[in-house]
Amino acid sequence: MDKIIIHGGHPLAGSVKISGSKNSALPILAATLLTKETCVIQRVPDLSDCHYMLQILAHLGADVERASGIVTVKAEKVNCVAPYEIVRKMRASICVLGPLLGREKEATVSLPGGCVIGDRPIDLHLRGFQALGAAVRVHGGNVKVFAPSLQGATISLKGKFGTTVLGTDNIMMAAVLADGTTAIEDAACEPEVVDLANFLNKMGAKIEGAGTARIVIEGVKELHGAEHEVIADRIEAGTFLIAGAIAGKEVTINRVRPDHLSAVTDALRACNFSVYGTNGSLSICANGTTKSLDLKTQPYPGFPTDMQAQMCALLSTAAGESSVTESIFPQRFMHVSELKRMGATIELDGATAKIRGVDTLSGAPVMASDLRASAALVLAGLLAEGTTEINRVYHIDRGYEMIDEKLGELGARIERVKV
Ligand code: EPZ
């Protein structure tokens, strides 16, 4: 297992190229199962989660080739069982259920366990499949869905914590080959859902309304192969903007969609940072003292839960009292105890972190836990006095392509050590 060592206090400057979106690439790769023809997906980030998805596609019978960021998939024949030993590595594997059900009218996938950010139920996914006419069997740690045929239906995906991103993806991928028209109400509006719908429409699907709370899918007989470039990773982009905020003179991020980052750039401006840019790029620089902020995570276009931990790291040294409320995954505060070990003063009150800004943080050995909490520790290490050692770096490698190399190119004193 590698660890990352950061010598804090070195200002960042320069520009960094943002990779393709993990959370867009994963469902789009799953969607290639919907056709027997060849699909070519560009800008697939070199991440362990994407490798796991390629392993699952291969296990399901697809021919998969990867040449740097370009993945070619041809699923001429597929079997319909995604086994535990692969699925357990990545919860998002659940998004092969929809395309397998859509194409083969059956699918068996090992149930995703919970994870450190909280319980990860799939009741909304299963509600959607049942509305399309599928039977659902949960047994022996597996979920099996099957149907003689799929009929279009009107489905609400509203749950206790709002809507579901992968649930919206799964139902869309099952409905594209159903008989008749499906309306998904209370659909997720994330850009990654729109990217998937755009890819499915290139394959011959008839989807309208992606990006709004109501998506309408007119079922077709079959889909054909297509080429598609994945959108920029808005969470990696936001993470590097916060790196520029927390430790930068001026940092520019390139190959991004600023419109996908509005809630993050609005929050950073509210903290007294200058954020500006042209189409495709954004720059950030300090503007005096970092101001405190009261923040609540929301479904898109609200402030993303995947940026919550990174904001806690930034607010740890903002002047005054801040609060961060997590409304999507109320337990998603694994980063707090580690930030406190670095000198942050944060108290948890249910799903709200109350942060009292300190002058600076102190480097320390810390433990990565989930993907975004780990990124928050890297950000804190950039600012902290002294050396921060982050163990279990595989968590970071799940969602950030070469984060140490990219930060090093911006002037960070950061190294990856094999242990
Ligand atoms: C996607 O997960 C992302 N993952 C997550 O990013 C992201 O945090 C999340 O959406 C929210 O934006 C991928 O896209 C691969 P949800 P997903 O279903 O779809 C509850 C990262 O760091 N819920 O939108 O699995 C659920 O418990 C990852 O890149 C149900 O109750 O999340 C949560 O509280 C972490 N029943 C809320 O809804 C269900 O059937 C939102 O979950 C499904 C979800």
Side-chain angles (χ1 to χ4, degrees):
M1 277 194 276
D2 296 357
K3 61 182 173 184
I4 282 182
I5 297 173
I6 303 171
H7 306 283
H10 295 269
L12 307 185
S15 64
V16 63
K17 202 187 293 181
I18 296 300
S19 302
S21 162
K22 165 181 86 78
N23 290 352
S24 195
L26 294 174
I28 284 175
L29 288 169
T32 62
L33 293 168
L34 282 161
T35 178
K36 299 178 188 306
E37 297 182 10
T38 300
C39 293
V40 179
I41 314 300
Q42 291 151 14
R43 206 177 176 186
V44 176
D46 183 14
L47 301 170
S48 48
D49 271 14
C50 294
H51 301 161
Y52 293 144
M53 182 55 80
L54 298 186
Q55 282 177 22
I56 290 171
L57 296 183
H59 185 94
L60 293 172
D63 291 330
V64 177
E65 280 177 29
R66 182 192 178 104
S68 65
I70 299 175
V71 171
T72 304
V73 183
K74 185 173 172 58
E76 204 153 2
K77 289 191 178 56
V78 291
N79 70 66
C80 299
V81 179
Y84 175 71
E85 62 271 12
I86 304 182
V87 170
R88 70 180 174 81
K89 297 176 188 172
M90 180 183 64
R91 195 193 155 278
S93 318
I94 202 70
C95 68
V96 301
L97 270 179
L100 288 175
L101 180 64
R103 172 178 168 165
E104 299 297 325
K105 307 299 182 280
E106 69 163 289
T108 301
V109 174
S110 173
L111 274 172
C115 63
V116 289
I117 68 177
D119 184 18
R120 307 297 294 275
I122 59 168
D123 58 302
L124 299 174
H125 302 234
L126 301 181
R127 179 204 292 175
F129 294 142
Q130 287 169 315
L132 292 171
V136 173
R137 292 278 181 281
V138 177
H139 177 69
N142 292 321
V143 58
K144 178 173 183 176
V145 291
F146 53 99
S149 66
L150 296 176
Q151 307 299 323
T154 296
I155 302 163
S156 166
L157 288 181
K158 189 171 183 58
K160 184 178 162 195
F161 296 99
T163 187
T164 164
V165 173
L166 288 182
T168 302
D169 294 346
N170 251 337
I171 303 315
M172 225 171 20
M173 291 190 280
V176 289
L177 294 176
D179 299 328
T181 302
T182 296
I184 303 175
E185 300 189 340
D186 308 300
C189 303
E190 271 68 4
E192 294 78 23
V193 173
V194 177
D195 205 25
L196 172 64
N198 290 339
F199 174 57
L200 290 168
N201 281 339
K202 283 181 184 176
M203 295 171 80
K206 292 181 179 173
I207 301 171
E208 292 182 356
T212 75
R214 189 170 194 272
I215 300 176
V216 179
I217 303 121
E218 188 184 329
V220 295
K221 283 290 167 230
E222 63 179 8
L223 297 182
H224 51 73
E227 291 209 15
H228 187 76
E229 179 176 301
V230 166
I231 55 172
D233 192 315
R234 63 190 169 102
I235 304 302
E236 184 196 23
T239 303
F240 273 90
L241 278 182
I242 293 186
I246 211 168
K249 284 195 289 203
E250 183 185 49
V251 168
T252 297
I253 57 175
N254 293 323
R255 296 193 71 203
V256 297
R257 284 281 303 268
D259 57 320
H260 290 169
L261 274 170
S262 306
V264 175
T265 50
D266 289 350
L268 289 169
R269 290 187 183 107
C271 290
N272 198 27
F273 290 94
S274 295
V275 187
Y276 46 92
T278 57
N279 58 335
S281 291
L282 278 173
S283 299
I284 187 166
C285 66
N287 213 0
T289 310
T290 306
K291 287 182 179 166
S292 61
L293 182 70
D294 293 332
L295 191 68
K296 182 174 182 181
T297 64
Q298 298 282 1
Y300 191 87
F303 191 88
T305 174
D306 293 348
M307 287 295 304
Q308 180 257 109
Q310 299 91 312
M311 274 307 275
C312 286
L314 175 64
L315 295 172
S316 295
T317 56
E321 307 261 341
S322 300
S323 71
V324 176
T325 299
E326 173 56 69
S327 65
I328 312 287
F329 293 107
Q331 301 165 43
R332 193 176 196 172
F333 289 110
M334 295 298 288
H335 45 288
V336 167
S337 52
E338 297 304 299
L339 289 172
K340 288 170 79 170
R341 297 188 61 248
M342 298 176 72
T345 48
I346 307 176
E347 290 314 318
L348 284 180
D349 176 8
T352 296
K354 294 190 179 359
I355 304 168
R356 187 156 38 83
V358 294
D359 291 341
T360 188
L361 300 175
S362 308
V366 289
M367 190 68 76
S369 54
D370 83 279
L371 167 53
R372 308 303 176 182
S374 315
L377 298 178
V378 172
L379 296 175
L382 295 172
L383 168 84
E385 287 175 353
T387 300
T388 299
E389 189 176 286
I390 301 171
N391 297 287
R392 297 186 183 171
V393 166
Y394 58 86
H395 288 290
I396 300 179
D397 294 336
R398 286 189 47 211
Y400 289 92
E401 199 175 32
M402 303 185 296
I403 192 169
D404 44 323
E405 292 176 28
K406 290 184 178 180
L407 286 172
E409 284 163 19
L410 290 174
R413 289 274 311 283
I414 182 169
E415 57 200 324
R416 181 183 288 257
V417 175
K418 291 226 173 289
V419 290

